[in-house]
Amino acid sequence: MSDIYLLLGTNLGDREKNLQIAKEQLTAHQLTIKKESSIYETAAWGVENQPSFLNQVVTVDSDKNPERVLIIINIIEGLMGRIRNLKWAQRLIDIDILYYGNSVIDKPKLKVPHPEIQNRRFTLAPLVELAPNFKHPISGKTQLEMLEECQDKLKADIFQAEF
């Protein structure tokens, strides 16, 4: 089994509940969650005139191959009402494969490691929380090194739920 790092993101509806449902669905599809980062809140990236996102990285175990994991992710996003109409648009849920162990995959619909990890603070901050010394299989840089070098200026703050 390989450690698989997934990024969960949402900026519509009950964002905390969306993250919880996504994690429940991952588990229901035999992707065992080993670790969860804190939840981070960030302004929208790419298309900026939309609600802020909640993001979280989870580490999962699975004996499923990367293509099967992607199929499961697409099923979960569909079940949760994700509509893909515009890149970087607001969404109920988005699940990205960041890393699949040390695998390097370059296929039209699946690129691992995720090609934008080093450019996104909202991805690197939770990754550093879970695996600061995990090395990117292409660059050889740790998650901490990439966060320190990241040019993204959007804040990625730990989310404080309102009671």
Side-chain angles (χ1 to χ4, degrees):
M1 286 197 201
S2 295
D3 276 349
I4 305 164
Y5 293 87
L6 303 177
L7 175 67
L8 313 177
T10 176
N11 74 335
L12 290 177
D14 186 336
R15 300 175 303 163
E16 288 177 274
K17 185 175 181 180
N18 293 343
L19 293 176
Q20 187 59 42
I21 292 169
K23 290 182 285 188
E24 290 167 1
Q25 285 294 315
L26 290 169
T27 300
H29 285 86
Q30 290 82 47
L31 296 174
T32 305
I33 297 175
K34 290 176 33 178
K35 292 191 278 185
E36 300 179 22
S37 74
S38 299
I39 296 171
Y40 289 77
E41 185 167 28
T42 40
W45 191 94
V47 175
E48 298 172 8
N49 60 340
Q50 58 181 308
S52 295
F53 275 82
L54 291 186
N55 292 290
Q56 183 176 37
V57 170
V58 296
T59 307
V60 299
D61 261 341
S62 178
D63 57 1
K64 298 177 184 341
N65 67 39
E67 292 81 5
R68 184 68 189 147
V69 172
L70 180 60
I71 289 168
I72 290 168
I73 287 169
N74 288 332
I75 289 169
I76 294 168
E77 289 177 339
L79 287 171
M80 291 184 66
R82 167 100 190 254
I83 299 170
R84 294 178 185 272
N85 54 7
L86 179 66
K87 189 172 186 172
W88 299 319
Q90 53 192 11
R91 59 201 71 164
L92 285 167
I93 194 67
D94 183 33
I95 305 172
D96 291 331
I97 301 173
L98 301 175
Y99 294 108
Y100 188 99
N102 288 312
S103 297
V104 177
I105 303 164
D106 189 4
K107 295 183 177 181
K109 294 190 178 193
L110 180 61
K111 300 199 183 311
V112 177
H114 191 289
E116 294 294 329
I117 292 171
Q118 68 280 356
N119 299 321
R120 296 176 175 173
R121 186 168 302 280
F122 66 85
T123 302
L124 287 166
L127 271 169
V128 165
E129 183 182 333
L130 293 181
N133 298 313
F134 179 77
K135 290 186 178 182
H136 190 286
I138 298 172
S139 73
K141 293 181 181 180
T142 67
Q143 305 312 292
L144 184 57
E145 289 170 330
M146 289 193 300
L147 179 59
E148 289 170 347
E149 296 173 1
C150 183
Q151 299 298 307
D152 180 7
K153 301 302 179 204
L154 289 178
K155 288 184 178 182
D157 295 322
I158 293 177
F159 177 69
Q160 302 296 323
E162 295 177 15
F163 295 101

